[in-house]
Amino acid sequence: MSQSSRGDLPVQSGFKENPKKEAPTLELKPIRLKHVIVALLLSILFFLIFCFISLHGYIAWVLSNPTVAPLYSNPKLSKNLDYEDVSFPAADGSRMMQGWYIPAGGDSAKTIVFSHGYGANREEAWIPMYDLAHYAHSLNFNVLMFDYGFAAQSNREVATGGKKEAQQLLGAIRFVKQRGNEEVIVWGFSMGAGTALQAALTSKDIDGMILDSTFLLEPDTMYHNIRQHIDLPRHPSLEIIGLLLPVLNGTSLHQIPYTDVKSADYPFPTLFIHGTKDEKAPYPIAEKLAENQSNPASGVWIVEGSHHELIFREHPKEYLRLVSTFLSRVSRDQDPAKTEPVTK
């Protein structure tokens, strides 16, 4: 049988198979040293930027979430003062506030509302608040001590530098007015004093304020406090923290009316008390605020060598004497035209 009949393919004469081809190879170009250095430097730069922004984020978080101790006592245990546990809504209805109402003897229609500072609760032990509450009670004032939202014993919220706190203070003022009080004095400390100034911009129910170590959250004072703990450049640190604060506590510095406060002439008497060694709120703040006041019963006491919120501890007799004089002149029965400014 022929080849073709066996189904085999014919072999053509002269056919040569191609030699076996080699697999293609990837030719690697040598990596230059300068590329490695550039990549390394960029990595370090991005890491440092990340750390820098993270540090500012931590600062903004700490500012928004102060550490506040729990309540350890009450007016009865501390000063044998009868009191009521009370609750009332913030003026904007955003939350319920908790506090103590200490009634004065008889039918007193005047009340002091204490406005505690940042990082404290209604007790504010380092002042100490119980001693001042007892003193106010001895002058026949009802007393309201309450916690701001960032110091609440339950359902705690972030601190906002006075944005939310001003509404909470206005709620406290409304509460005591609804209880028949005709005369309301706000006694504020540190950021609680700054909050009182913000609340007073819109309230017609405040008859006087005592403001101890006033702290007003604004770029200058915020940076002043940051620099005491870590040496950061003013710019862009303020800008970065300003961008992060609304994310962490829903409040921009532009929402705090510090410009209006610094130019306001309040219609009621205001007593500013401040120490020259105040490391958190430099005393020229209080001097400038006091200069704006035209009410004849307003005054200022700048205490040489005293520290932030420690003036009562350092000068108790002078402190209470000045406060007593101020409160007697704030009385609705006092003729403003015959009132001398309270100074020290």
Side-chain angles (χ1 to χ4, degrees):
M1 181 182 287
S2 65
Q3 287 182 328
S4 59
S5 64
R6 293 198 302 267
D8 295 331
L9 293 176
V11 178
Q12 297 180 359
S13 61
F15 178 81
K16 296 182 178 179
E17 294 186 4
N18 292 328
K20 188 177 180 181
K21 294 183 178 179
E22 295 182 359
T25 58
L26 180 62
E27 183 179 355
L28 297 177
K29 294 182 179 181
I31 300 176
R32 296 183 180 179
L33 179 59
K34 68 176 183 180
H35 293 161
V36 175
I37 294 175
V38 169
L40 181 60
L41 290 177
L42 286 175
S43 299
I44 294 173
L45 176 61
F46 288 136
F47 177 73
L48 292 176
I49 292 174
F50 172 77
C51 291
F52 188 72
I53 295 176
S54 298
L55 174 61
H56 287 74
Y58 175 73
I59 293 172
W61 187 88
V62 170
L63 291 174
S64 304
N65 297 272
T67 300
V68 181
L71 297 175
Y72 72 89
S73 188
N74 60 56
K76 185 66 175 179
L77 291 175
S78 293
K79 295 294 178 181
N80 198 32
L81 294 173
D82 293 328
Y83 72 97
E84 306 170 31
D85 286 307
V86 296
S87 62
F88 52 87
D92 60 1
S94 59
R95 65 171 294 127
M96 291 298 293
M97 315 302 299
Q98 308 296 323
W100 296 320
Y101 184 77
I102 307 170
D107 56 352
S108 175
K110 54 184 183 179
T111 293
I112 286 177
V113 177
F114 282 111
S115 176
H116 69 77
Y118 173 85
N121 55 34
R122 71 187 86 163
E123 293 177 322
E124 199 145 9
W126 53 81
I127 286 179
M129 196 75 88
Y130 284 120
D131 286 356
L132 294 183
H134 183 263
Y135 181 73
H137 184 265
S138 72
L139 296 178
N140 202 35
F141 278 89
N142 305 301
V143 175
L144 177 64
M145 304 167 70
F146 75 99
D147 293 328
Y148 281 114
F150 63 80
Q153 301 303 297
S154 61
N155 191 27
R156 186 170 294 182
E157 63 184 13
V158 293
T160 65
K163 176 190 171 186
K164 289 185 177 181
E165 290 81 6
Q167 292 298 315
Q168 295 164 8
L169 177 57
L170 290 172
I173 295 168
R174 180 183 297 172
F175 169 75
V176 297
K177 293 290 286 188
Q178 290 173 344
R179 294 194 65 139
N181 288 284
E182 299 174 357
E183 188 173 314
V184 179
I185 308 297
V186 177
W187 196 339
F189 303 84
S190 188
M191 192 176 287
T195 296
L197 288 167
Q198 295 178 54
L201 291 172
T202 59
S203 176
K204 296 182 180 180
D205 292 326
I206 299 175
D207 298 287
M209 294 195 300
I210 303 169
L211 304 179
D212 184 328
S213 307
T214 301
F215 181 97
L216 185 63
L217 185 62
E218 58 173 331
D220 286 343
T221 52
M222 185 172 71
Y223 181 67
H224 173 78
N225 280 267
I226 292 172
R227 277 291 303 272
Q228 294 183 50
H229 300 282
I230 183 170
D231 188 12
L232 291 173
R234 182 182 180 88
H235 303 288
S237 290
L238 283 178
E239 287 77 12
I240 295 174
I241 293 175
L243 290 172
L244 293 173
L245 280 175
V247 177
L248 295 170
N249 67 12
T251 303
S252 166
L253 286 177
H254 300 295
Q255 294 176 291
I256 299 174
Y258 56 84
T259 301
D260 295 336
V261 167
K262 291 169 70 174
S263 61
D265 180 6
Y266 294 94
F268 46 76
T270 305
L271 173 62
F272 296 91
I273 302 174
H274 221 100
T276 60
K277 294 294 185 180
D278 192 320
E279 70 286 357
K280 296 182 179 179
Y283 72 92
I285 295 174
E287 290 183 323
K288 178 63 173 64
L289 291 169
E291 288 174 1
N292 295 335
Q293 309 311 309
S294 61
N295 189 293
S298 292
V300 59
W301 180 29
I302 303 298
V303 189
E304 187 66 34
S306 276
H307 302 82
H308 190 74
E309 291 190 278
L310 297 179
I311 303 169
F312 171 53
R313 281 186 177 275
E314 295 167 342
H315 304 276
K317 292 182 179 179
E318 298 92 329
Y319 191 106
L320 295 181
R321 187 182 303 117
L322 189 70
V323 166
S324 178
T325 301
F326 173 78
L327 291 174
S328 67
R329 294 176 178 179
V330 171
S331 171
R332 291 175 182 267
D333 299 328
Q334 180 73 30
D335 183 357
K338 298 180 181 180
T339 301
E340 295 294 328
V342 177
T343 56
K344 182 70 178 178

